């Protein structure tokens, strides 16, 4: 990992560590899921919040937000695919959560892998 990647990772960890509980633990778990599911993505701060990109100098593909609700989002820089089924041509791009159980963790990993596959 380059020194810029290490610096960016440290900034993401610091940002998460400053969050109040229980959100800090939830966001740390989501961060761990993301880096495990897509180890080629590089953590960085994007618009003040944790994000993940292909490199330190490319736009974020996945973002995390700690607003009124916790949020995982795919940015417009990622490849999108129509959802199909009842959602037809809609392209899902954001998910809100408060906790992360095993099924949610699995779905987060699938979402994140979809932007790098």
């Amino acid at each position: 990992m380059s020194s810029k990647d290490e610096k960016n990772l440290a900034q993401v960890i610091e940002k998460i560590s400053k969050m109040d509980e229980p959100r800090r633990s939830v966001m740390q778990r989501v961060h761990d899921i993301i880096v495990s599911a897509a180890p080629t993505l590089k953590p960085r701060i994007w618009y003040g919040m944790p994000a993940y990109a292909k490199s330190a100098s490319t736009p974020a593909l996945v973002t995390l937000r700690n607003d009124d609700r916790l949020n995982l989002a795919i940015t417009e820089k990622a490849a999108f695919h129509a959802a199909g089924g009842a959602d037809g041509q809609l392209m899902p791009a954001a998910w809100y959560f408060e906790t992360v159980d095993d099924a949610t963790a699995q779905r987060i990993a699938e979402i994140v892998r979809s932007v790098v596959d």
Side-chain angles (χ1 to χ4, degrees):
M1 191 179 299
S2 75
S3 63
K4 183 161 184 134
D5 290 342
E6 291 168 353
K7 177 183 170 192
N8 287 343
L9 174 59
Q11 289 174 339
V12 167
I13 297 299
E14 180 181 5
K15 182 70 173 183
I16 293 170
S17 74
K18 290 182 177 178
M19 295 175 185
D20 293 333
E21 286 294 349
R23 289 175 171 223
R24 176 180 36 228
S25 295
V26 173
M27 289 293 261
Q28 182 63 52
R29 182 164 186 214
V30 173
H31 166 79
D32 293 343
I33 292 165
I34 291 170
V35 297
S36 176
T40 60
L41 290 181
K42 307 295 183 196
R44 62 192 288 191
I45 297 296
W46 187 260
Y47 293 103
M49 295 303 291
Y52 306 83
K54 288 189 177 182
S55 75
S57 60
T58 60
L61 300 176
V62 176
T63 63
L64 293 176
R65 298 220 35 101
N66 180 13
D67 295 322
D68 290 340
R69 293 186 182 214
L70 299 174
N71 170 271
L72 168 77
I74 298 174
T75 74
E76 71 281 359
K77 303 300 182 186
F80 280 94
H81 307 285
D87 287 332
Q89 294 302 306
L90 293 174
M91 298 174 204
W95 297 263
Y96 292 96
F97 55 93
E98 293 180 11
T99 61
V100 177
D101 59 12
D102 291 341
T104 304
Q106 181 177 340
R107 183 65 181 124
I108 290 169
E110 291 168 358
I111 292 164
V112 170
R113 281 192 294 270
S114 78
V115 304
V116 295
D117 291 341

